[in-house]
Amino acid sequence: MASLNTGDGYGSDFTYKTILLQSSTFNKSAELKYVTTDLEVYEHMDKPYLTATLTIIDTNNILAQTDIRGGESIFISLQSTREDSPIITKTFYITKIITTQKASASNETHIFHLIEDIAYIANLQNINRSYNGKPETVLSKIADDYLGRSLQLGNNQSAQNFKLIIPNLNPIEAMGWIKNSASTIDGYPFYIFSSLVSSIS
């Protein structure tokens, strides 16, 4: 887990360049970096996508006009406070509002649960076709064709050659199914995961 607090450069390892909310209910984006107090990003060895929680204190009624229902996108750009660090960009989607608390007449605290864009995109697609080849080759093709991402492959090679038909699974489910059936030449399992500083790996 990466805990990215206030982002003001004081007592934090990261600074926020932008945290942009985009919703179909209004035509312009809303900048949330000035009202964000916490951003926690979770990496999981068994999930090829990130999850996160975003906490904001809305003092200017930014969300009053948006009618958050889930599916809104959050574009996040941040940078380490270390010198010459690259800018990291990620797109997430809101899956739910975890909690909303009214602190005063003008202040509301909102905590959102987020998933990385590839998980949201995967749920909108379905694979029903055959593949042949090494597991890592098939996984790379699915990631490229359906998720628009490139896999960063490790040095281990698989022991199998697959000939399979994917039976109506979304891309992430299909990749998990193939990954669970594959092993390296030395008999070790395969892992597919996403990290904050790179795409699915």
Side-chain angles (χ1 to χ4, degrees):
M1 177 184 74
S3 182
L4 314 173
N5 42 28
T6 59
D8 56 8
Y10 182 77
S12 174
D13 293 330
F14 291 86
T15 57
Y16 303 140
K17 298 298 183 183
T18 186
I19 300 178
L20 206 61
L21 169 67
Q22 296 176 311
S23 171
S24 59
T25 59
F26 60 103
N27 294 326
K28 61 180 182 178
S29 303
E31 179 58 72
L32 301 181
K33 78 172 183 176
Y34 301 109
V35 295
T36 295
T37 61
D38 291 283
L39 172 63
E40 293 187 334
V41 180
Y42 300 89
E43 299 174 351
H44 197 295
M45 284 294 290
D46 205 35
K47 290 180 180 178
Y49 58 89
L50 301 171
T51 59
T53 57
L54 175 69
T55 304
I56 69 167
I57 298 178
D58 190 357
T59 58
N60 297 313
N61 292 321
I62 295 173
L63 301 183
Q65 50 189 310
T66 61
D67 187 24
I68 301 290
R69 297 181 180 180
E72 292 79 11
S73 62
I74 301 282
F75 176 78
I76 296 172
S77 176
L78 52 87
Q79 188 174 28
S80 170
T81 53
R82 293 178 182 174
E83 193 174 348
D84 298 325
S85 296
I87 294 174
I88 300 165
T89 60
K90 290 288 181 181
T91 301
F92 291 88
Y93 281 84
I94 297 174
T95 58
K96 64 180 178 179
I97 301 174
I98 297 173
T99 185
T100 295
Q101 292 183 340
K102 199 167 186 68
S104 67
S106 59
N107 288 357
E108 277 190 332
T109 300
H110 305 275
I111 302 177
F112 301 110
H113 181 268
L114 313 176
I115 58 170
E116 193 176 359
D117 55 353
I118 56 172
Y120 186 84
I121 292 166
N123 283 328
L124 303 177
Q125 301 180 78
N126 192 55
I127 304 176
N128 185 17
R129 57 165 293 185
S130 62
Y131 285 95
N132 290 288
K134 292 278 190 182
E136 57 267 36
T137 303
V138 177
L139 291 170
S140 293
K141 185 159 183 58
I142 292 172
D144 184 57
D145 291 348
Y146 292 91
L147 303 176
R149 300 292 176 89
S150 297
L151 285 180
Q152 297 178 7
L153 300 174
N155 295 326
N156 292 322
Q157 294 184 346
S158 59
Q160 305 95 341
N161 270 300
F162 281 173
K163 184 175 181 181
L164 54 86
I165 297 175
I166 297 176
N168 292 312
L169 300 175
N170 76 43
I172 284 180
E173 290 171 339
M175 292 174 75
W177 179 51
I178 294 167
K179 179 262 299 179
N180 290 337
S181 302
S183 62
T184 69
I185 293 173
D186 296 321
Y188 295 113
F190 270 71
Y191 294 95
I192 308 173
F193 61 92
S194 182
S195 68
L196 180 63
V197 295
S198 65
S199 57
I200 52 179
S201 306

